[in-house]
Amino acid sequence: EAGVAQSPRYKIIEKRQSVAFWCNPISGHATLYWYQQILGQGPKLLIQFQNNGVVDDSQLPKDRFSAERLKGVDSTLKIQPAKLEDSAVYLCASSLEGLAGWTNNEQFFGPGTRLTVL
Amino acid sequence: GQNIDQPTEMTATEGAIVQINCTYQTSGFNGLFWYQQHAGEAPTFLSYNVLDGLEEKGRFSSFLSRSKGYSYLLLKELQMKDSASYLCAVRAQGRNTPLVFGKGTRLSVIA
C-alpha cells in the first residue's frame, strides 16, 4: 500500500513570495490533515478536511494561508505572502473515517515539505 | 484548552530501559498516541491507549492513567536506532478530531 505522498520535499523562498505544497493521501482515506512543525516542536494542526469539506481550520492563519481539497482526494496548501516565521516542515497526514465504537483511527504521515523563508 | 507536557531531552545507554513521561490536560479525551520521529523524517505511529492500563508491543509499551492525565512510553533493550524524538499526542472527544501534540522528547541512545 502506498503511503502519503508530498511534494516538493524542500523549498527555499524569499519573504513575501508565494509557495504551494501538494499532498496525496492514502487511497480511501477520507480525512486529510495539514500540520506545521517548527524546529524543536511537535506538529500543530493547520486544517482538517473530511472528504472535500473543512472540519477544522481554527488555527489556520487565513490572511496568508489557504488550502483546498476540491475532489476529496489530493490537497494543496498555499502561503501567500510568506513570512520568515513560516519556516517549518509542513506535514500532511490522512486517516480512515472512524467506525462506530472505539477505534484508534491512526493518522499516517507523509515525509513533509521543509520550507525555508529567507 | 489543551496542554501536553513531556521532557525535552533524555539520554540512555544501549541495552537499557527508558521511560518517557507525558502529562496532559484536555477538554474531553478520546485517546492518547505515541509517535516516533527520526530527524528529518515523518512521525510514525507507535502506540494508542484509550483505556487505563498497559499496552505492550514488542520492545515498546505504553501506559495510561486517565484520572491522573498521565501516560508513559517504555522502551526496553534500547538500540542505537531508537535515537529519535518521541511525540505524545492526545485526541479530544470525537471520532475524527485532530491530534494535539506535545513538543516531543529527544532521546539519545549512547554506547
Side-chain angles (χ1 to χ4, degrees):
Chain A
E1 178 182 275
V4 177
Q6 289 189 247
S7 68
R9 292 296 311 277
Y10 305 91
K11 189 74 177 176
I12 300 174
I13 62 173
E14 296 188 349
K15 60 183 179 182
R16 291 189 289 273
Q17 285 187 321
S18 302
V19 65
F21 313 128
W22 176 81
C23 171
N24 194 21
I26 293 172
S27 177
H29 280 195
T31 307
L32 184 147
Y33 313 79
W34 282 103
Y35 290 89
Q36 179 193 59
Q37 186 173 25
I38 292 172
L39 187 64
Q41 298 186 19
K44 184 187 83 170
L45 180 77
L46 292 175
I47 189 167
Q48 176 187 350
F49 292 95
Q50 183 79 11
N51 297 308
N52 61 351
V54 175
V55 174
D56 184 347
D57 64 356
S58 58
Q59 298 188 83
L60 187 73
K62 298 180 186 62
D63 58 332
R64 298 185 300 107
F65 286 64
S66 64
E68 59 184 17
R69 193 185 185 199
L70 293 176
K71 296 182 180 178
V73 180
D74 58 344
S75 173
T76 56
L77 176 70
K78 296 179 181 177
I79 308 175
Q80 181 179 5
K83 292 185 176 181
L84 296 177
E85 59 260 36
D86 298 332
S87 293
V89 175
Y90 291 84
L91 294 165
C92 179
S94 69
S95 65
L96 285 168
E97 183 170 354
L99 303 174
W102 295 115
T103 173
N104 70 13
N105 204 19
E106 178 187 342
Q107 293 184 22
F108 295 84
F109 285 83
T113 297
R114 183 178 297 277
L115 173 68
T116 302
V117 182
L118 302 176
Chain B
Q2 305 189 78
N3 189 46
I4 300 171
D5 288 315
Q6 50 182 132
T8 303
E9 291 187 41
M10 297 182 72
T11 301
T13 305
E14 192 176 17
I17 298 172
V18 70
Q19 178 175 313
I20 303 174
N21 296 324
C22 171
T23 58
Y24 64 90
Q25 298 99 38
T26 60
S27 51
F29 177 83
N30 193 20
L32 186 143
F33 295 74
W34 284 96
Y35 279 81
Q36 180 191 59
Q37 187 175 29
H38 285 99
E41 298 182 13
T44 54
F45 172 80
L46 286 179
S47 69
Y48 169 74
N49 295 71
V50 67
L51 299 175
D52 291 350
L54 188 68
E55 294 283 341
E56 297 186 80
K57 191 185 294 185
R59 294 189 299 116
F60 293 5
S61 303
S62 58
F63 172 83
L64 174 68
S65 169
R66 289 172 295 170
S67 62
K68 296 181 179 178
Y70 167 70
S71 173
Y72 68 72
L73 179 70
L74 193 71
L75 292 77
K76 303 175 186 176
E77 301 170 15
L78 280 173
Q79 302 175 9
M80 300 299 283
K81 67 178 182 179
D82 297 329
S83 293
S85 286
Y86 291 85
L87 300 166
C88 175
V90 174
R91 187 167 64 209
Q93 199 70 37
R95 197 176 63 186
N96 267 326
T97 50
L99 299 179
V100 178
F101 285 85
K103 293 185 176 181
T105 298
R106 188 163 62 245
L107 174 66
S108 298
V109 180
I110 58 176

